[in-house]
Amino acid sequence: EIMNILRKNITLLIDNDAARERVIRNIKLNGGNIIENFEEEKVDLIVYQPSSKITNILDKAKKDNINTISLGVFNKMLMNWLIK
């Protein structure tokens, strides 16, 4: 599966600063927008680093029909999209 992030509003739940900066750079280079607070703005996708601390956030996102994807899967899909 490939991923088009052009004009998508994306929230990141990533604790690792280096990984977060790398993902932000890739999203911006490919036309995506970083949204800091998904409660205040329309969010199309949440990219998360698996953690028990965010379970309630992911549950709320699913109830609000916001797509969620783990960081590992996101990176693989993004690489497939960049290669195509």
Side-chain angles (χ1 to χ4, degrees), residues 5 10-14 16-30 32 34 47-48 70-72 74-75 78:
I5 59 173
I10 303 169
T11 293
L12 303 176
L13 301 177
I14 302 172
N16 181 297
D17 290 337
R20 182 178 174 77
E21 290 305 314
R22 188 171 47 251
V23 170
I24 288 171
R25 185 173 45 247
N26 282 327
I27 289 171
K28 288 182 177 181
L29 284 172
N30 291 287
I34 303 297
V47 178
Y48 65 93
S70 72
L71 177 59
F74 178 78
N75 284 334
L78 185 60

Side-chain angles (χ1 to χ4, degrees), residues 10-65:
I10 303 169
T11 293
L12 303 176
L13 301 177
I14 302 172
D15 291 331
N16 181 297
D17 290 337
R20 182 178 174 77
E21 290 305 314
R22 188 171 47 251
V23 170
I24 288 171
R25 185 173 45 247
N26 282 327
I27 289 171
K28 288 182 177 181
L29 284 172
N30 291 287
N33 304 309
I34 303 297
I35 303 297
E36 294 298 325
N37 188 342
F38 78 92
E39 305 228 354
E40 296 177 7
E41 299 185 53
K42 181 188 179 299
V43 172
D44 301 302
L45 177 67
I46 294 177
V47 178
Y48 65 93
Q49 199 171 6
S51 164
S52 61
K53 298 177 193 175
I54 62 167
T55 304
N56 59 339
I57 296 171
L58 296 178
D59 289 342
K60 181 179 179 352
K62 289 176 184 174
K63 287 178 186 173
D64 292 342
N65 293 319

